[in-house]
Amino acid sequence: MTAAENVCYTLINVASDSEPPSEVSLKADLEKGEIKAKTEALKKVIIMILNGEKLPGLLMTIIRFVLPLHDHTIKKLLLVFWEIVPKTTPDGKLLQEMILVCDAYRKDLQHPNEFIRGSTLRFLCKLKESELLEPLMPAIRACLEHRHSYVRRNAVLAIYTIYRNFEHLIPDAPELIHDFLVNEKDASCKRNAFMMLIHADQDRALDYLSTCIDQVHTFGDILQLVIVELIYKVCHANPSERARFIRCIYNLLQSSSPAVKYEAAGTLVTLSSAPTAIKAAAQCYIDLIIKESDNNVKLIVLDRLIELKEHPTHERVLQDLVMDILRVLSTPDLEVRKKTLQLALDLVSSRNVEELVIVLKKEVIKTNNVTEHEDTDKYRQLLVRTLHSCSVRFPDMAANVIPVLMEFLSDTNEAAAADVLEFVREAIQRFDNLRPLIIEKMLEVFHAIKTVKIYRGALWILGEYCCTKDDIQSVMTEVRRSLGEIPIVENEIKKETGEVKPEDEVSAAPAQKLVTEMGTYVTQSALSSSRPSKKEEDRPPLRGFLMDGDFYVAASLATTLTKVALRYVAIVQDKKKQNSFVAEAMLFMVTVLHLGKSSLPKKPITDDDVDRISLCLKVLSECSPLMNDIFNKECRKSLSHMLTVRLEEEKLSQKKESEKRNVTVQADDPISFMQLTAKNEMTSKEDQFQLSLLAAMGNTQRKEAADPLASKLNKVTQLTGFSDPVYAEAYVHVNQYDIVLDVLVVNQTSDTLQNCTLELATLGDLKLVEKPSPLTLAPHDFANIKANVKVASTENGIIFGNIVYDVSGAASDRNCVVLSDIHIDIMDYIQPASCTDAEFRQMWAEFEWENKVTVNTNITDLNDYLQHILKSTNMKCLTPEKALSGFCGFMAANLYARSIFGEDALANVSIEKPIHLGPEAPVNGHIRIRAKSQGMALSLGDKINLSQKKANA
């Protein structure tokens, strides 16, 4: 163990700019100064000793002039001083002066002040010299009977540490503490005593627990937590004890302390897989989530519920608790709601889907009434998607869900409205019986739609699925209402010049009955305002979009009008009505085309939109059967095919998930009986308490490769050459937020190297936590030095430095060996992740840093190149497998990954195979990377460039 790894009890912050004082001045202050000066001098001495100074001359001064003082601050500082000061001579014998110190502490252990007694007992826990502790044992035992609980609980801790380190000093400690525990009333003292018995003599701890097992629910929470830990360990090591203690764990689920409930529920799940036990534990978790205000706690406990769900037998129990789980939605935090909805969706079955849909509908309606907030919109989106999934899995629910969701098509939040629209499009295609209801609701909300993207989608649905004469005429009425007075250009020019008054407009078109007493047609909203300032916002929606220069919606309108006109001609036999309808549709298209060519809109119409409208005019003027088939049948076939493919993909992914969860047992697998398992085999199971402690300390064990030694050797970096006087190599271990460098230093000379120091510096977003301590290396000796480096963001970092040392007996300057650079690989932070197409596009538009990498490789197959990039960058391909299958000479794919710091990385691969250069021609093209931070985009680009060069080699 190196100096850097020695157990540290006390951390002291030191001002780096302060000048170290001389030993003479410190001695003067300690001898003759006031209490304040002595306090400051003692602090300086402590800091100097921590920095490696020896100061042996001050030891006797402190014993003579500082130790007898009664000031409490001095006494506290002295405890720190005696903890860190060297107590032995170079040959390992105890210093003579320590006898005086030992006598002073014996007096402090009998001091009338309970604070001094307690803090002295705490200090004794840190002593590692049995010669110092031996004379103090009678005084420590006496402290167990002190009137104050602070002294008694620290006495228990002192006895425990002394028993653990030097059992011969107090061989009867377990018996002594057991008797103390039986008579003790204070909760903290009982907890410390019980904790000692668990580790020192488990049988005595169990005996005590057996005598008071019915009173456990009356104990304090700190003692209850220790009891849970004991029961877990005992039942883990000896399964036959389960029946004896499981009732106690059930009782502790009702504890008033959230921590006890959480630990008891976790322990119950590991001890029993009976449905009643799982239900009790899950119910306890749900209560904790609802009652606990801290969102982090909610998320941790939700993760526990999700872990329970992963077990096939537990999942059935949790399905009955779906309605209880949904109570968590009352939490305002979006992340908690997201996890809750996902969990509920995974657990939903035909038995409880109706209740689930009712709750979600209420939640959706609630979001409409609250004041607008960014999270409200996102929450509404989550609810819409959850209802969508429920309706797809349970088609009977769609009729209940659709009317509520259709109201949100007029929502100002485009993302939520787009989700509703996607759901409606799928529902109207899949469920024939719901089409009349959906079309009716769509016509009701059509005029209130505020965003152009939703308007386009609604137009397409109405054009595709309106099949009756009444519906088709309703669509035409809505379009007329949305366009306003036509021809648009003349009407807009008249309004600009002020020729048209609201009254004139109303009387100018009596055929359309623009305004009535009852307000039947609301087209007047675009025409009745005489104030120019209101002109823009009073326009009908469709005209407003066109005046803003958004003519893509005009192309969509032309297609819709063509579809309904062709269908109207097929339904209605009267030629006069047919011609009138088709002519009106063509008039709408022509007036829009005229507007696009004029200078009135903010942006002119594009050539693509002109082509589409002209094509629709041509189709309507000719009405050929082929065009009728293309417009009215082929479009729907395409949608049907797309939805079928998507459904197949979802089923495939669900099947994969269920296969993962189902534990397959081979016919010749050995059966493990708990009762017949040997104790040494039981220890192979993971200890949950140990795992949680390691996780809290940041030492979570990663799953290494099949051969852990091989994977570790891959991460060893050679820092110096074999012919250097000092050889060094480092193993780079990457944790979540820090990197541990384990550096092996070997003295290859025949001299003793003194003050051998590893000096490190960093480049990039890395920060060295502490300076490694100097070492002394004997000839041909070696040592391990550990250094911690903090990581703040995902980018390639470089650690560089040197090793400096003095040669024993040499008069020359310090020697220096420069180390090779250690490059920190960005791939250690990047993990594959998935997101929806909409989220990908949104992030692609928002992220400001782009890095364009030119493909430069000798790989000749497009798919091979893509797989190589995915393997090199840890990214996940979002483009479906079916879209990438086949060969057409080019490929485009979207990739996505997320770093452990929550940063997103997007990439778009656009590659082609130049066929004209022959079959062996390499792939060429570009990869565009986008990220929020510059470091991420550049580092990922460098990684791709490097991996391409490796493929080239």
Side-chain angles (χ1 to χ4, degrees):
M1 185 181 274
T2 66
E5 284 180 294
N6 283 336
V7 177
C8 171
Y9 297 102
T10 312
L11 293 173
I12 297 169
N13 183 36
V14 185
S16 55
D17 55 349
S18 57
E19 278 290 316
S22 68
E23 194 172 332
V24 177
S25 65
L26 286 173
K27 200 168 187 176
D29 284 346
L30 291 169
E31 284 181 13
K32 301 180 179 119
E34 295 292 317
I35 293 287
K36 198 172 178 185
K38 286 186 178 184
T39 306
E40 288 303 313
L42 195 52
K43 281 182 184 176
K44 287 173 185 171
V45 170
I46 290 169
I47 290 165
M48 286 172 76
I49 291 174
L50 284 174
N51 285 340
E53 300 284 343
K54 295 288 185 282
L55 305 179
L58 291 179
L59 188 61
M60 207 58 212
T61 307
I62 289 172
I63 291 171
R64 284 175 59 204
F65 297 102
V66 183
L67 196 57
L69 296 175
H70 295 292
D71 182 73
H72 284 202
T73 310
I74 294 271
K75 283 198 175 289
K76 275 184 84 173
L77 286 170
L78 280 171
L79 292 176
V80 178
F81 175 76
W82 294 124
E83 181 191 329
I84 62 169
V85 77
K87 302 172 192 68
T88 54
T89 58
D91 57 355
K93 289 182 180 175
L94 196 71
L95 290 168
Q96 295 295 322
E97 295 91 331
M98 298 313 289
I99 296 165
L100 300 170
V101 178
C102 186
D103 187 56
Y105 281 117
R106 191 175 52 75
K107 286 175 184 169
D108 277 351
L109 286 173
Q110 294 163 349
H111 200 283
N113 184 304
E114 62 272 5
F115 167 74
I116 289 174
R117 274 203 195 198
S119 52
T120 308
L121 285 163
R122 283 178 77 90
F123 158 71
L124 295 180
C125 295
K126 304 169 189 178
L127 278 186
K128 295 284 180 283
E129 288 77 25
S130 58
E131 300 98 313
L132 281 176
L133 291 167
E134 197 170 356
L136 302 175
M137 292 316 297
I140 295 172
R141 281 169 177 266
C143 286
L144 280 176
E145 292 160 18
H146 193 270
R147 60 186 170 76
H148 204 285
S149 62
Y150 178 70
V151 177
R152 294 201 303 275
R153 72 166 177 258
N154 281 311
V156 172
L157 278 180
I159 288 170
Y160 173 39
T161 47
I162 293 166
Y163 177 76
R164 194 175 57 191
N165 295 329
F166 314 105
E167 193 177 331
H168 65 277
L169 291 180
I170 183 163
D172 62 334
E175 189 183 339
L176 180 71
I177 295 298
H178 181 268
D179 296 342
F180 168 79
L181 184 59
V182 171
N183 301 315
E184 182 56 57
K185 296 287 182 286
D186 182 75
S188 61
C189 296
K190 284 171 87 170
R191 182 251 179 208
N192 284 2
F194 195 71
M195 184 67 124
M196 176 190 160
L197 286 182
I198 288 176
H199 295 288
D201 191 344
Q202 209 172 75
D203 292 338
R204 283 185 196 274
L206 287 173
D207 290 344
Y208 172 72
L209 183 57
S210 302
T211 59
C212 60
I213 200 156
D214 293 325
Q215 287 97 46
V216 164
H217 62 279
T218 61
F219 292 167
D221 56 348
I222 52 174
L223 183 55
Q224 286 178 343
L225 277 172
V226 182
I227 288 171
V228 171
E229 185 180 343
L230 172 69
I231 292 173
Y232 175 84
K233 284 183 174 174
V234 169
C235 296
H236 220 59
N238 189 4
S240 58
E241 295 279 359
R242 289 181 183 192
R244 184 176 162 196
F245 293 114
I246 206 154
R247 189 164 57 89
C248 178
I249 292 289
Y250 267 109
N251 291 340
L252 288 174
L253 289 178
Q254 313 304 321
S255 169
S256 57
S257 161
V260 174
K261 287 168 79 171
Y262 175 77
E263 293 295 355
T267 302
L268 184 59
V269 170
T270 59
L271 298 186
S272 170
S273 55
T276 47
I278 301 303
K279 189 170 184 179
Q283 196 71 58
C284 178
Y285 281 146
I286 293 165
D287 289 345
L288 277 175
I289 300 169
I290 292 163
K291 289 174 183 170
E292 204 50 49
S293 57
D294 189 340
N295 288 330
N296 292 323
V297 174
K298 289 177 190 282
L299 288 168
I300 290 165
V301 182
L302 263 173
D303 284 337
R304 284 276 175 272
L305 277 175
I306 292 165
E307 278 174 28
L308 274 183
K309 179 209 70 178
E310 297 301 322
H311 201 288
T313 53
H314 297 171
E315 189 173 6
R316 294 193 196 102
V317 177
L318 287 175
Q319 281 175 352
D320 299 333
L321 297 171
V322 167
M323 298 315 292
D324 289 325
I325 291 169
L326 287 175
R327 286 160 59 203
V328 180
L329 291 176
S330 56
T331 306
D333 184 68
L334 187 68
E335 195 62 35
V336 173
R337 285 170 159 178
K338 193 175 184 177
K339 274 196 175 179
T340 307
L341 285 173
Q342 187 56 54
L343 178 61
L345 193 57
D346 290 342
L347 293 172
V348 74
S349 64
S350 51
R351 286 177 298 155
N352 52 26
V353 67
E354 203 167 332
E355 294 170 320
L356 174 76
V357 166
I358 289 168
V359 172
L360 294 181
K361 275 164 64 178
K362 282 180 183 170
E363 287 292 318
V364 169
I365 293 161
K366 267 191 222 166
T367 62
N368 214 16
N369 301 332
V370 296
T371 52
E372 280 304 312
H373 185 266
E374 187 187 358
D375 280 356
T376 309
D377 293 341
K378 288 179 182 173
Y379 179 44
R380 195 177 302 151
Q381 264 178 278
L382 282 175
L383 290 168
V384 168
R385 285 178 191 168
T386 311
L387 284 168
H388 181 172
S389 303
C390 285
S391 304
V392 171
R393 278 168 60 185
F394 306 97
D396 299 346
M397 292 294 108
N400 296 336
V401 172
I402 285 164
V404 178
L405 292 188
M406 294 283 274
E407 299 293 331
F408 290 97
L409 284 174
S410 56
D411 200 349
T412 48
N413 176 20
E414 190 179 285
D419 281 337
V420 174
L421 194 72
E422 194 179 316
F423 169 47
V424 169
R425 185 184 67 185
E426 192 168 340
I428 204 168
Q429 171 64 22
R430 280 208 184 143
F431 315 127
D432 293 346
N433 56 325
L434 295 179
R435 280 181 192 170
L437 170 71
I438 293 174
I439 287 166
E440 182 193 336
K441 294 294 290 180
M442 183 69 86
L443 288 167
E444 275 179 30
V445 298
F446 187 74
H447 71 280
I449 294 172
K450 297 180 180 70
T451 55
V452 66
K453 185 181 171 186
I454 309 305
Y455 203 90
R456 283 201 314 265
L459 269 175
W460 187 91
I461 289 171
L462 289 172
E464 191 62 51
Y465 294 99
C466 286
C467 299
T468 65
K469 181 184 169 185
D470 291 343
D471 285 345
I472 290 169
Q473 284 179 331
S474 300
V475 172
M476 285 303 277
T477 307
E478 287 296 337
V479 170
R480 204 181 295 130
R481 184 176 172 183
S482 288
L483 273 174
E485 179 73 8
I486 54 174
I488 299 172
V489 175
E490 283 81 344
N491 185 258
E492 287 291 329
I493 290 170
K494 282 181 183 177
K495 281 205 288 185
E496 289 291 335
T497 55
E499 289 176 32
V500 179
K501 299 279 189 295
E503 297 81 13
D504 298 342
E505 284 184 354
V506 173
S507 58
Q512 289 190 18
K513 297 182 182 174
L514 290 175
V515 180
T516 66
E517 288 289 316
M518 301 298 291
T520 314
Y521 281 90
V522 199
T523 320
Q524 54 92 24
S525 63
L527 309 166
S528 60
S529 174
S530 56
R531 287 174 292 174
S533 60
K534 284 270 183 184
K535 197 186 296 176
E536 298 239 346
E537 61 193 64
D538 285 345
R539 284 195 184 113
L542 187 52
R543 183 182 284 206
F545 299 143
L546 295 173
M547 292 301 288
D548 287 338
D550 199 331
F551 282 96
Y552 186 28
V553 74
S556 185
L557 172 69
T559 310
T560 300
L561 290 172
T562 307
K563 285 178 186 174
V564 295
L566 291 171
R567 220 171 282 137
Y568 188 83
V569 168
I571 295 168
V572 178
Q573 302 305 316
D574 187 341
K575 279 280 179 193
K576 191 176 177 185
K577 283 184 177 176
Q578 283 181 7
N579 291 339
S580 169
F581 192 94
V582 171
E584 188 174 11
M586 292 172 82
L587 173 63
F588 290 159
M589 292 186 218
V590 169
T591 188
V592 169
L593 207 53
H594 185 199
L595 176 68
K597 297 283 188 184
S598 72
S599 59
L600 289 173
K602 290 178 182 175
K603 287 184 274 186
I605 192 168
T606 62
D607 292 343
D608 286 346
D609 296 332
V610 171
D611 288 349
R612 170 49 68 108
I613 297 169
S614 306
L615 172 70
C616 291
L617 284 166
K618 190 171 172 57
V619 169
L620 281 184
S621 61
E622 292 174 0
C623 288
S624 69
L626 173 65
M627 286 298 155
N628 197 351
D629 273 3
I630 290 170
F631 271 82
N632 280 332
K633 290 181 185 169
E634 295 299 325
C635 286
R636 199 173 302 184
K637 269 189 195 168
S638 298
L639 173 67
S640 177
H641 180 62
M642 185 195 84
L643 292 175
T644 310
V645 169
R646 188 187 290 176
L647 194 64
E648 280 175 12
E649 278 177 12
E650 281 176 15
K651 281 181 180 170
L652 195 68
S653 65
Q654 280 174 4
K655 192 179 173 187
K656 279 181 184 170
E657 281 294 317
S658 61
E659 280 173 4
K660 266 187 206 169
R661 267 190 273 167
N662 290 340
V663 181
T664 51
V665 182
Q666 298 301 327
D668 56 349
D669 276 359
I671 300 171
S672 171
F673 292 99
M674 276 289 187
Q675 288 78 0
L676 303 177
T677 310
K679 278 195 176 183
N680 58 349
E681 290 174 42
M682 285 298 299
T683 54
S684 63
K685 289 195 171 185
E686 292 172 320
D687 185 338
Q688 295 300 320
F689 285 90
Q690 197 61 31
L691 284 178
S692 59
L693 181 63
L694 285 171
M697 291 162 66
N699 294 339
T700 43
Q701 297 295 314
R702 285 194 177 183
K703 286 179 183 165
E704 298 281 5
D707 180 4
L709 287 175
S711 63
K712 273 196 168 188
L713 290 171
N714 288 338
K715 292 184 179 177
V716 171
T717 309
Q718 187 177 333
L719 301 179
T720 65
F722 291 115
S723 58
D724 282 313
V726 176
Y727 172 75
E729 64 182 28
Y731 165 61
V732 183
H733 182 70
V734 178
N735 295 320
Q736 182 159 4
Y737 293 115
D738 71 339
I739 298 164
V740 179
L741 295 181
D742 191 349
V743 184
L744 171 70
V745 181
V746 182
N747 177 6
Q748 300 199 108
T749 67
S750 302
D751 300 313
T752 300
L753 306 184
Q754 293 180 331
N755 291 333
C756 184
T757 311
L758 176 68
E759 295 181 345
L760 296 173
T762 57
L763 193 68
D765 217 340
L766 303 172
K767 186 183 175 188
L768 195 66
V769 178
E770 59 185 346
K771 189 179 170 186
S773 305
L775 300 170
T776 299
L777 285 178
H780 305 291
D781 192 8
F782 64 89
N784 280 66
I785 302 174
K786 284 198 174 179
N788 282 54
V789 179
K790 283 284 173 199
V791 188
S793 68
T794 315
E795 62 176 86
N796 287 335
I798 300 172
I799 302 172
F800 52 91
N802 47 44
I803 292 176
V804 292
Y805 59 91
D806 297 325
V807 178
S808 178
S812 61
D813 292 336
R814 297 202 81 181
N815 298 281
C816 177
V817 178
V818 179
L819 307 178
S820 300
D821 299 346
I822 303 172
H823 290 263
I824 303 302
D825 192 356
I826 186 177
M827 288 307 106
D828 289 319
Y829 313 127
I830 289 184
Q831 296 160 344
S834 55
C835 65
T836 64
D837 282 350
E839 286 167 345
F840 185 91
R841 287 195 191 97
Q842 188 180 351
M843 286 190 283
W844 189 266
E846 285 174 1
F847 290 173
E848 52 201 28
W849 291 102
E850 178 170 309
N851 189 5
K852 191 173 182 181
V853 179
T854 305
V855 172
N856 175 21
T857 183
N858 63 350
I859 298 174
T860 56
D861 184 77
L862 295 173
N863 212 28
D864 287 356
Y865 181 76
L866 179 65
Q867 294 309 319
H868 174 70
I869 290 296
L870 291 175
K871 191 178 174 185
S872 312
T873 59
N874 280 0
M875 297 188 92
K876 183 178 180 179
C877 183
L878 298 181
T879 309
E881 194 69 40
K882 287 192 175 178
L884 299 171
S885 57
F887 180 77
C888 59
F890 66 89
M891 179 189 280
N894 290 336
L895 316 181
Y896 177 63
R898 187 180 284 125
S899 77
I900 55 177
F901 307 108
E903 298 170 309
D904 301 292
L906 316 175
N908 173 259
V909 179
S910 301
I911 48 178
E912 64 174 341
K913 169 99 172 155
I915 299 166
H916 62 282
L917 297 177
E920 293 304 312
V923 170
N924 62 29
H926 290 94
I927 300 172
R928 290 164 70 200
I929 301 156
R930 285 204 180 179
K932 214 168 197 172
S933 64
Q934 184 185 16
M936 182 88 153
L938 291 173
S939 301
L940 209 50
D942 292 345
K943 184 69 188 173
I944 290 172
N945 269 327
L946 278 171
S947 59
Q948 288 188 140
K949 284 167 188 164
K950 280 178 191 170
N952 245 338

